[in-house]
């Protein structure tokens, strides 16, 4: 099972970075390339423990649906989302946040199992692991861009942001 680990340093408060990371609205912004759209469950705002979202997105030229649920939640230190239904055999995405001096260390640990047995492992090796790593890095750069500027206010409106 591939495990992707990415660390991103962000000069912002841990609360802002945590909330941007669980924002459905920022997720839509960060995945414009794949036309991701929240079509069921929590479709806007901040997702929390035991809530779920179904995404519709275009990957590899094919529209796909994926439902994930927040299975662990400790604001502002961590949360985990896990696939309930989708193309992968399974996935678990841990989001960990640590305050270090004047910045936040944001750690993503993404574990997944591809479908199709041995063929799935071959797909992982050839391109899927690299593709998923790039998606996560691009998303983290958007989180960083919003958190380190006033753009976070566009996503974390007064009624949803609670420091």
């Amino acid at each position: 099972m591939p495990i992707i680990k990415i660390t991103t340093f962000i000069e912002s408060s841990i609360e802002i970075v945590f909330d941007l990371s669980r924002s459905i609205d920022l997720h839509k912004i960060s995945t414009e390339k794949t036309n991701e759209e929240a079509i069921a469950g929590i479709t806007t705002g901040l997702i929390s423990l035991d809530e779920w979202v179904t995404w519709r997105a275009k990957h590899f030229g094919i529209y796909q649906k994926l439902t994930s649920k927040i299975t662990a939640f400790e604001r502002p230190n961590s949360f985990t989302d896990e696939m309930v239904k989708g193309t992968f055999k399974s996935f678990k995405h841990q989001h960990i946040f640590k305050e270090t001096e004047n910045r936040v260390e944001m750690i993503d640990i993404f574990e997944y199992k591809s479908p199709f047995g041995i063929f799935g492992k071959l797909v992982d090796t050839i391109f899927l692991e690299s593709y998923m790593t790039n998606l996560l890095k691009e998303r983290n750069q958007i989180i960083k861009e919003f958190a380190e500027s006033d753009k976070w206010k566009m996503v974390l409106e007064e009624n949803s942001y609670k420091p």
Side-chain angles (χ1 to χ4, degrees):
M1 167 177 14
I3 299 174
I4 300 167
K5 184 176 179 183
I6 298 170
T7 301
T8 307
F9 292 96
I10 301 174
E11 293 181 18
S12 185
S13 77
I14 193 169
E15 292 85 3
I16 289 173
V17 176
F18 181 87
D19 285 348
L20 286 172
S21 296
R22 66 189 181 106
S23 167
I24 299 296
D25 304 305
L26 187 68
H27 186 93
K28 291 176 199 174
I29 293 167
S30 71
T31 56
E32 286 178 343
K33 287 182 182 177
T34 56
N35 298 317
E36 291 205 23
E37 179 183 3
I39 59 170
I42 303 299
T43 59
T44 190
L46 303 177
I47 193 164
S48 295
L49 183 64
D50 293 327
E51 295 180 332
W52 59 274
V53 59
T54 297
W55 294 99
R56 181 177 183 263
K58 191 173 189 178
H59 296 279
F60 309 112
I62 302 167
Y63 277 100
Q64 303 171 29
K65 291 181 185 175
L66 182 136
T67 301
S68 65
K69 180 179 180 180
I70 304 296
T71 57
F73 189 89
E74 185 187 325
R75 185 176 195 276
N77 302 307
S78 67
F79 71 92
T80 301
D81 60 284
E82 296 186 56
M83 188 188 79
V84 175
K85 186 177 181 183
T87 306
F88 290 98
K89 189 171 183 180
S90 67
F91 85 60
K92 179 179 182 179
H93 185 178
Q94 296 175 66
H95 307 258
I96 301 163
F97 308 88
K98 299 176 183 176
E99 283 185 299
T100 58
E101 297 176 17
N102 295 328
R103 61 186 184 169
V104 176
E105 181 180 1
M106 182 174 72
I107 303 164
D108 288 275
I109 302 172
F110 186 79
E111 302 173 56
Y112 69 95
K113 288 184 184 174
S114 297
F116 314 123
I118 294 172
F119 178 70
K121 290 179 183 181
L122 182 62
V123 168
D124 288 340
T125 303
I126 294 172
F127 67 88
L128 187 57
E129 187 171 356
S130 173
Y131 180 81
M132 293 307 301
T133 300
N134 288 334
L135 277 180
L136 291 169
K137 285 181 177 180
E138 287 173 14
R139 176 170 158 65
N140 287 356
Q141 286 308 305
I142 297 294
I143 292 169
K144 180 179 175 69
E145 176 187 329
F146 274 66
E148 291 182 346
S149 69
D150 282 343
K151 287 184 175 183
W152 67 267
K153 293 176 184 177
M154 297 182 329
V155 177
L156 304 178
E157 299 171 343
E158 291 178 27
N159 61 355
S160 63
Y161 178 65
K162 299 170 190 146

